[in-house]
Amino acid sequence: MLTITLKPGKEKSLLRRHPWIFASAIDRVEGKPEEKAKSGSTAVVQSSSGQFLARAAFSPKSQIRARVWSFDQNEPIDHALIKRRIRNALSYRTSSVRDTDAIRLIFGEADGFPGLVVDWYAGKQGTLVCQFQSAGVEAWKVPIVQALISETGCPNVYERSDASVREREGLPLVTGVLAGDEPGTEIHVVENGVHYAVDIKHGHKTGFYIDQRDNRRLVMEQAAGREVLNCFCYTGGFSLAALKGGAASVLSIDSSADALETGKRNMALNDFAPSLAEWRDADVFKTLRALREQGRTFDLVVLDPPKFASSPDHVERAARAYKDINLLGMQLLREGGLLFTYSCSGAISADLFQKIVAGAVNDARVDARIVRRLSAGIDHPMTTSFPEGEYLKGLMLQKP
Ligand code: SAH
C-alpha cells in the first residue's frame, strides 16, 4: 500500500477538503518501488502524526503530487466509485441543463474526478469527448470510458488529451477514438435554438465553448435591432446567438481562419443571410484601435479573449491586456450600449477582474453601470473547498 506522509502542519488544507497535495507538503512516500514509480497509483495520505486524511492518486512527476479521490476512510477507490460518480454527474446535468445537446458532463474536481473533463455532444447518437489531464484519471481511463458508455447510452467516445497541462503530469499528448465510431469532421448541436457545427477533432479544447451557454443566451435576449461587435469570436458562438435574437448586424473578429470558416458555415446552418455578418481574420488588439480611428461605434460589444494569465506569474501582464481591450471596447460603445466582457484566467479572481475593468472604464473617461455579474453555466459547478474551479467570470456593463 502506497502511503504519503505530510510534513507537520501541512494537513490543514486537506482538513478543509482541498483536493490537491503539493510536492512541497510531503515528508515521505512509502511503498513498493513499482507503486512509487507508477503514475496514478492510489495512495493513503496521512498527517505527520499518522492520522488518515484521504485517498489520492499519486502523480510522481507533477508538482501537484497527489489529487484526492476521497476523504472518506471507508470509501474504496474502485470501479463502483467511478460508476457512482458518473451516474451522479449525469443525473445532475439531466435535471439542471436545458435547451441544449452540448453538455459538460464531467467537470473535474467538482464531479469527483480531478483532472477529467467530459463534454457530451448531440445525445446518444453523438459523441462523448474526454480530456484526461491528470495521472489518476489516466490510470482509470478504461473503467471511466466503460462507465460513461453504460450510464449515458452513447457508444462513441473520443479523446482530446492534447492540452499542455498533460506534460506537467509527465503524460504524453494523445487524441483518438476510445470507443465506437470515428467522429465526422463536424457534429451538429442545437443550443437555445441556434445550430452550431462542432469540430471535435480539430477545434479548441473539445470543440466548443460550452461554458458560455448562458452568456450567449443573455446576448441573444439583448441583441434585437443592435449593431454588434464580437471580439475573439472563435466559431461565432455569440455572433449566432445575437443574430438569433434579431441583431441588425454582427462584426466578428478572430485570428483563427479555421474557426471563422466554421462560423460562416454556422450562418448557413441557421439560414441567416450572409449579409448580416462580417467575419474578419485579424488581431483584436489592432482591429479595435483601427475601428476607433475610423470612428466606428456599436450598440453591443462582446470581449471573450483566451486565457491571458496561464499562471499566477502572468497576472500583471494579463491585467494590462484585459485593461487594454476593455478600454477600447468601452470607447467603441454608443450611449446606451452594452459591453459583455469575460476572463477565463483562473489566476484572476472575479474581484480583480472587476477592478481591472473599472480601471479601463475610468481611463476611457466614460461612465458605466454593472448590470450583471456573469459566470459559467450550470453544468460547470465548483465545490466550496476548491475555489480554483471558478475560472470563467464576466461582467455585463451598460454605458448610460
Ligand atoms: N467566444 C467564443 C470563444 C472564444 S475563445 C465562443 O463563445 O465560442 C478565444 C478565441 O480568441 C480563439 O478563437 C482564438 O483563436 C482567438 N484569439 C486569440 N488571440 C487573438 C487575437 N490576438 N486576436 C484575435 N483573436 C484571437
Side-chain angles (χ1 to χ4, degrees), residues 204 208-209 211-212 216 230-238 253-256 259 282-285 302 304-308:
H204 293 176
F208 192 58
Y209 289 88
D211 53 0
Q212 290 284 28
R216 286 189 284 260
N230 182 11
C231 300
F232 309 97
C233 68
Y234 185 50
T235 56
F238 283 103
I253 307 166
D254 202 283
S255 54
S256 160
D283 176 69
V284 165
F285 293 85
V302 179
D304 183 25
K307 185 158 70 174
F308 286 153

Side-chain angles (χ1 to χ4, degrees), residues 7 128-129 205 235 295 334 354 388 391:
K7 292 176 184 164
L128 294 149
V129 187
K205 313 261 173 86
T235 56
R334 293 182 190 140
Q354 187 173 323
E388 290 88 338
Y391 66 105

Side-chain angles (χ1 to χ4, degrees), residues 2 32-42 57-60 135 139-140:
L2 197 60
K32 296 195 202 108
E34 61 270 24
E35 281 176 332
K36 281 205 257 183
K38 193 173 156 251
S39 168
S41 297
T42 301
F58 182 55
S59 183
W140 290 87

Side-chain angles (χ1 to χ4, degrees), residues 255-388:
S255 54
S256 160
D258 287 345
L260 293 171
E261 278 312 308
T262 307
K264 288 179 203 166
R265 277 203 302 288
N266 284 336
M267 292 291 287
L269 275 182
N270 290 279
D271 287 328
F272 291 142
S275 59
L276 291 175
E278 182 190 338
W279 303 87
R280 213 180 275 187
D281 179 355
D283 176 69
V284 165
F285 293 85
K286 287 191 188 133
T287 309
L288 289 177
R289 287 193 162 72
L291 291 169
R292 185 177 62 183
E293 265 146 48
Q294 291 156 17
R296 287 282 304 270
T297 54
F298 298 86
D299 305 303
L300 193 161
V301 175
V302 179
L303 299 169
D304 183 25
K307 185 158 70 174
F308 286 153
S310 49
S311 81
D313 306 338
H314 298 140
V315 167
E316 223 169 289
R317 199 178 61 200
R320 280 197 294 276
Y322 285 119
K323 188 166 175 189
D324 190 31
I325 53 173
N326 279 283
L327 191 157
L328 290 157
M330 276 317 289
Q331 290 176 328
L332 291 173
L333 214 51
R334 293 182 190 140
E335 272 180 24
L338 300 172
L339 175 71
F340 293 82
T341 180
Y342 303 93
S343 160
C344 60
S345 301
I348 294 196
S349 68
D351 253 13
L352 176 57
F353 184 59
Q354 187 173 323
K355 286 199 182 97
I356 295 167
V357 173
V361 170
N362 192 37
D363 284 9
R365 306 247 156 269
V366 295
D367 288 318
R369 302 198 277 221
I370 295 178
V371 194
R372 282 254 204 296
R373 292 199 170 84
L374 308 169
S375 62
I378 203 160
D379 46 350
H380 293 64
M382 52 171 183
T383 60
T384 50
S385 55
F386 185 64
E388 290 88 338

